[in-house]
Amino acid sequence: MLCVWLGALPAQQPAARANDAQPLVQAGVAQYQVGDFRDAIASWQQALAQVDPDNLTHQSIILENLARAHRQIGQFSEEIAYWEQAAQRHERLGNLLALGRALTEQAQAHSRLGQHRRAIALLCGETNNGCASGSALQIARAVTDASGEAAALGSLGEAYRLTGDYQQALVFLEQSRSLIESDSYVYQAAVLNSLGNTYGALAQISTRRAQAAAKRGDIRDARELTEKAEAQVQQAVAFLQQGYEAAETGSLASAQVRSQLSLIPLYQRSDRADAARQAQQAARQLISELPDSQTKAFAAISLADYLEPTSKHQACPAAEVVSQQTELLETAAAIAQTIQNARAESFALGQLGYLHERCGNYDRALSLTQAARLAADQDRSAQDSLYLWAWQQGRILKAQGKAAAAETAYTQALAVLEEVRADILNANRELQFDFRDQVEPIYREFATLKLAKVPPSVPIATTGQSTVDTVLVTLDSLKLAELQNYFANDCVIVPAAARVDVVGEQSSTAVISTAILANRTAVIASLPDGRRQVEWIDITENSLTAEVNAFRQTLEQGRFRRVTYRAAAAQLYDQLVRPFEPLLSELQVNTLVFINDGILRSIPMSALYDGQQFLIEKYAIATTPSLTLTDPNALNRQNLNALILGLSEASQVGNTRFSPLNKVDDEIAAVEAQFSNSTVLKNENFSEPQLRKALQDRDYKILHIATHGNFGAEPEDNYIVTGQKLDAQRNKALTISELDALIRSVSTIDQAPIDLLA
């Protein structure tokens, strides 16, 4: 929650050289230095009104002072406006050095608002041939301003870090570091802290990959990724410790606080309890010395959270910890009220309410949570927290046995989340790490509330199924949120107008959806006659995961040795399909569409076994990720053609070797025989440039790819292997995001879209 920014330009204290309004400017400086930021703003606004309209130099000084004061109280939109006005005056004066630095400060303010792409555009622009003309970095280099260049590079690295492009962030941060002079402690502390936070984020990614590998049973991969995460944690700690030392030498209290707060969770993850306690004590002392500001308020909120280990909190903490957290959060709330910062007040009150919720003090928790909602509702910049407090209110009401009121609160939380989800997930890449804790549970808990009203094993007629439909829509929204969180953009998320579960009475198709909840799993069948039926798998999520993994592993091992998977296949059949058999038979269903949740996506439904036949022998089987991500309308089968891509040769991506695919030639021949007027790109001809050219030259209805692929916990882990060679051994991997971007880049209004990607 702590707002991290570089703030690495030399003029951190407001200037007092505006002679024609000197007394007011000087008064503002004195007020700023003792932390009276609102009084300082009032003084400088009076000074700006009195300064000579033709004195652009004095105007720019006052405007920069106003920008810095608004930063301190968390009014970043106002800060940006003042930097823009200051930059305009610098440009009219021809003071390029000051202009470049003002643009860097303005970019940092955009990053504080979550507008990281806008920050990047101001700092450099995303060009292939150096920075854009008029950008902060281009100007600093043009006027040989080494300090300005270091600040722009550091800010650029920080902006890329916050977008989740950690490798690019490291490039710019290291470039900035190389320009910093040994006595420039402001610069050193800022860049070293950013480097530490970048390696900390990389460690979180490695940890998530390790967890995903362990969940699917790949123990060796999990161990290697865990070791990588530990090494990245150590790199992060080393940089943050250096950043703290630089800040301490330069007497930079805010930077010292940032270093210590970033170190605490890293120490906790490394089981360094003593170091974590020392960092907590140091941070608390430093926070007490800061002037009242948004930085101080959020530092107190963050420290309150870090007084417990990084594992997610559930039970009420020890009495001593509760006392310390309460004091910090009440202090943060008081500071926020003093500086009139609704966002900080919202988080302080909301976290205090959460503490009381965990300790079972539901009346006090509800009162604080309602106050947090009220504060968040007063400030547009605090809207992203509003869903958290509505959700919290729902949990508290549920714990009090007030199911109807709880359902209302959950509905409000989801409505707000649907509105702001794209902004918060795309703007703050780091929220990805908390998605499973701060976003996903809202959908699942609401679905649990609604499903509690639905009688199991009873086909529900159209007139009485609004509750089930709400559950299905909620789960579909969760799947869209998962994709949005995964790719951090909207480009690959284009919901269809029609839902796949609205099959119509003349259809012979049934749709089976699953929802994995904490203690059991719901299985919902949508039938051709409009009825729906809910069944339950009464085992925990962990037990279901173990069951599914065991089935998948026996299927994989069956390629190499004789193992039996039929018992596991029959058990899953009994859980997922058998309860619906009477209705499927009665309605003469011959096609099943599965919309699976979580770990159930990792297994082929066609391999389920009823004791005599596999599911694929009884029904046509289809799978889709959600209700609305697949167009259910029938494909126009006239004049179908295909672009067929294949790799039959041995290949390698990074250190991963892939064996030859001996059956690819047969597969290509079979697909080509089905569709005349098709094109084949195989082995070395299966390259990104030739794929692009083929898509530009002709319209294809089908894109069929036969090659190795990899799918993992991060978007960059999901790729197909092409025949294009990077060197003698290594092949180029094409990520799913890159493939999507490639297809979109060659699409025109006149072209028919690809209907099927296989």
Side-chain angles (χ1 to χ4, degrees):
M1 294 177 186
L2 184 66
C3 226
V4 180
W5 49 275
L6 283 174
L9 293 171
Q12 284 306 292
Q13 289 300 321
R17 294 178 290 104
N19 296 332
D20 39 0
Q22 180 69 26
L24 285 168
V25 175
Q26 189 62 59
V29 171
Q31 291 158 340
Y32 183 100
Q33 288 174 337
V34 297
D36 293 335
F37 302 120
R38 287 195 173 274
D39 288 342
I41 288 170
S43 295
W44 288 330
Q45 284 175 336
Q46 291 180 54
L48 188 62
Q50 294 182 18
V51 76
D52 183 349
D54 296 325
N55 195 329
L56 300 180
T57 299
H58 290 178
Q59 289 177 37
S60 65
I61 291 169
I62 298 171
L63 289 165
E64 289 191 356
N65 289 350
L66 283 164
R68 293 190 179 95
H70 281 284
R71 171 198 302 163
Q72 293 289 350
I73 60 175
Q75 293 183 345
F76 304 130
S77 295
E78 290 82 352
E79 179 194 359
I80 289 169
Y82 283 117
W83 284 121
E84 286 176 342
Q85 293 176 59
Q88 289 167 4
R89 277 131 179 105
H90 293 316
E91 188 169 19
R92 288 169 62 187
L93 288 165
N95 188 345
L96 293 181
L97 186 146
L99 172 61
R101 294 185 175 195
L103 290 173
T104 295
E105 295 273 18
Q106 185 182 332
Q108 291 174 3
H110 278 290
S111 271
R112 284 188 280 276
L113 276 177
Q115 298 166 353
H116 310 305
R117 291 296 170 193
R118 177 62 182 149
I120 290 168
L122 285 167
L123 291 163
C124 179
E126 298 182 83
T127 64
N128 296 323
N129 301 309
C131 290
S133 177
S135 64
L137 189 50
Q138 184 272 328
I139 291 171
R141 287 169 173 166
V143 300
T144 322
D145 176 15
S147 295
E149 183 179 357
L153 284 165
S155 301
L156 194 56
E158 180 74 352
Y160 273 108
R161 179 182 78 83
L162 292 168
T163 64
D165 191 343
Y166 302 116
Q167 297 306 322
Q168 190 66 69
L170 290 175
V171 170
F172 287 120
L173 290 171
E174 289 292 356
Q175 288 178 12
S176 176
R177 189 182 177 203
S178 70
L179 294 173
I180 298 172
E181 297 179 2
S182 59
D183 60 347
S184 298
Y185 302 117
V186 173
Y187 285 59
Q188 288 182 31
V191 172
L192 289 166
N193 280 344
S194 286
L195 282 165
N197 288 325
T198 303
Y199 277 104
L202 289 170
Q204 286 184 290
I205 289 175
S206 296
T207 298
R208 291 202 309 172
R209 286 172 166 159
Q211 291 169 344
K215 190 169 185 177
R216 65 176 183 264
D218 293 340
I219 305 304
R220 186 181 69 178
D221 282 356
R223 183 176 61 251
E224 291 176 353
L225 287 163
T226 299
E227 291 171 355
K228 183 177 181 180
E230 291 169 353
Q232 289 166 331
V233 165
Q234 295 312 310
Q235 287 176 290
V237 167
F239 278 121
L240 289 167
Q241 287 174 336
Q242 293 174 48
Y244 177 78
E245 291 165 5
E248 186 177 36
T249 304
S251 300
L252 306 166
S254 293
Q256 288 176 267
V257 170
R258 286 194 288 274
S259 297
Q260 293 291 0
L261 289 176
S262 295
L263 280 166
I264 293 168
L266 294 172
Y267 286 144
Q268 290 172 335
R269 288 170 59 189
S270 303
D271 296 323
R272 298 175 61 182
D274 290 341
R277 278 192 293 272
Q278 290 174 9
Q280 289 165 355
Q281 292 167 1
R284 187 162 190 173
Q285 178 59 39
L286 288 162
I287 290 169
S288 69
E289 298 169 6
L290 295 175
D292 287 352
S293 61
Q294 174 169 284
T295 296
K296 182 175 182 177
F298 274 109
I301 294 167
S302 295
L303 180 58
D305 190 47
Y306 292 155
L307 289 177
E308 297 178 78
T310 52
S311 56
K312 294 304 172 185
H313 324 313
Q314 293 296 331
C316 184
E320 181 183 359
V321 175
V322 170
S323 175
Q324 293 175 350
Q325 289 177 321
T326 300
E327 182 182 346
L328 285 164
L329 292 169
E330 287 178 345
T331 298
I335 292 169
Q337 289 165 1
T338 298
I339 65 174
Q340 299 175 36
N341 187 305
R343 179 175 173 78
E345 183 181 359
S346 168
F347 274 103
L349 294 172
Q351 289 296 95
L352 198 54
Y354 179 48
L355 181 60
H356 282 280
E357 177 195 356
R358 292 166 59 201
C359 293
N361 305 322
Y362 294 127
D363 289 339
R364 180 60 176 152
L366 190 59
S367 173
L368 287 163
T369 303
Q370 289 169 334
R373 286 188 68 175
L374 181 62
D377 219 11
Q378 292 175 351
D379 185 351
R380 185 171 180 81
S381 70
Q383 294 295 297
D384 62 335
S385 68
L386 193 56
Y387 81 92
L388 291 172
W389 315 135
W391 171 35
Q392 186 163 290
Q393 188 172 346
R395 294 197 310 268
I396 296 167
L397 290 166
K398 181 182 176 184
Q400 291 180 315
K402 301 173 182 177
E407 188 176 313
T408 299
Y410 270 98
T411 302
Q412 293 168 346
L414 285 170
V416 175
L417 184 55
E418 288 292 301
E419 185 177 336
V420 304
R421 187 182 70 206
D423 292 334
I424 62 174
L425 292 181
N426 295 346
N428 185 1
R429 183 69 166 171
E430 292 189 337
L431 184 60
Q432 284 201 312
F433 301 130
D434 297 321
F435 179 83
R436 286 174 293 179
D437 303 300
Q438 292 191 10
V439 176
E440 182 177 350
I442 304 177
Y443 292 95
R444 295 195 184 279
E445 290 170 14
F446 181 65
T448 303
L449 267 176
K450 299 294 285 186
L451 283 168
K453 300 179 177 180
V454 180
S457 306
V458 177
I460 303 167
T462 305
T463 54
Q465 61 178 247
S466 60
T467 298
V468 179
D469 194 65
T470 299
V471 170
L472 291 171
V473 171
T474 300
L475 295 172
D476 193 62
S477 294
L478 171 59
K479 289 178 170 66
L480 296 178
E482 285 178 317
L483 283 174
Q484 194 168 53
N485 178 62
Y486 190 80
F487 290 105
N489 64 64
D490 294 314
C491 293
V492 296
I493 306 170
V494 185
R499 286 168 41 169
V500 298
D501 64 329
V502 182
V503 292
E505 292 189 22
Q506 304 305 314
S507 172
S508 57
T509 298
V511 179
I512 297 178
S513 305
T514 53
I516 301 174
L517 308 174
N519 296 313
R520 55 180 184 164
T521 293
V523 188
I524 304 169
S526 299
L527 301 161
D529 63 358
R531 287 183 292 172
R532 292 194 172 103
Q533 181 172 326
V534 177
E535 298 289 342
W536 290 97
I537 303 175
D538 286 315
I539 58 176
T540 66
E541 180 181 0
N542 289 339
S543 297
L544 180 66
T545 298
E547 181 183 327
V548 171
N549 276 340
F551 174 52
R552 179 180 55 77
Q553 288 163 357
T554 57
L555 285 176
E556 293 171 351
Q557 294 164 2
R559 294 183 300 157
F560 308 109
R561 55 192 176 89
R562 293 183 62 84
V563 293
T564 178
Y565 50 80
R566 296 194 178 195
Q571 183 174 356
L572 283 165
Y573 183 97
D574 290 343
Q575 293 166 326
L576 295 169
V577 180
R578 195 176 297 281
F580 308 113
E581 277 188 330
L583 282 173
L584 297 178
S585 176
E586 174 191 330
L587 299 171
Q588 297 182 327
V589 169
N590 58 29
T591 300
L592 296 180
V593 178
F594 287 90
I595 306 175
N596 275 328
D597 189 20
I599 193 68
L600 287 167
R601 300 172 189 153
S602 69
I603 53 174
M605 293 294 105
S606 56
L608 302 186
Y609 187 63
D610 71 356
Q612 295 181 325
Q613 289 180 294
F614 292 104
L615 196 63
I616 191 63
E617 297 179 277
K618 302 172 65 174
Y619 303 95
I621 306 296
T623 61
T624 181
S626 83
L627 293 176
T628 56
L629 283 177
T630 300
D631 188 345
N633 295 316
L635 179 69
N636 182 356
R637 297 179 178 274
Q638 300 299 315
N639 302 316
L640 290 179
N641 64 345
L643 176 57
I644 308 165
L645 314 171
L647 179 63
S648 61
E649 302 169 341
S651 52
Q652 180 175 338
V653 173
N655 295 322
T656 304
R657 289 185 171 85
F658 297 98
S659 59
L661 292 168
N662 299 323
K663 296 295 184 180
V664 161
D665 288 343
D666 294 342
E667 181 175 337
I668 288 174
V671 175
E672 191 175 14
Q674 290 289 324
F675 306 106
S676 60
N677 198 26
S678 295
T679 301
V680 175
L681 299 176
K682 192 177 77 171
N683 294 334
E684 69 275 4
N685 292 321
F686 173 17
S687 67
E688 184 177 359
Q690 290 194 240
L691 170 58
R692 183 183 302 275
K693 184 177 185 304
L695 291 172
Q696 287 173 333
D697 290 346
R698 289 178 58 191
D699 290 353
Y700 292 97
K701 290 290 189 180
I702 298 170
L703 182 58
H704 185 97
I705 306 172
T707 182
H708 282 290
N710 187 77
F711 300 92
E714 297 297 316
E716 55 266 33
D717 293 338
N718 294 281
Y719 60 81
I720 57 173
V721 184
T722 73
Q724 184 178 346
K725 290 287 188 180
L726 299 176
D727 54 38
Q729 278 84 34
R730 296 182 304 131
N731 294 62
K732 176 176 174 53
L734 192 64
T735 68
I736 302 304
S737 295
E738 289 171 340
L739 177 61
D740 174 72
L742 188 156
I743 293 172
R744 291 176 188 275
S745 70
V746 299
S747 299
T748 67
I749 296 176
D750 296 330
Q751 280 184 313
I754 291 173
D755 283 317
L756 177 65
L757 172 63

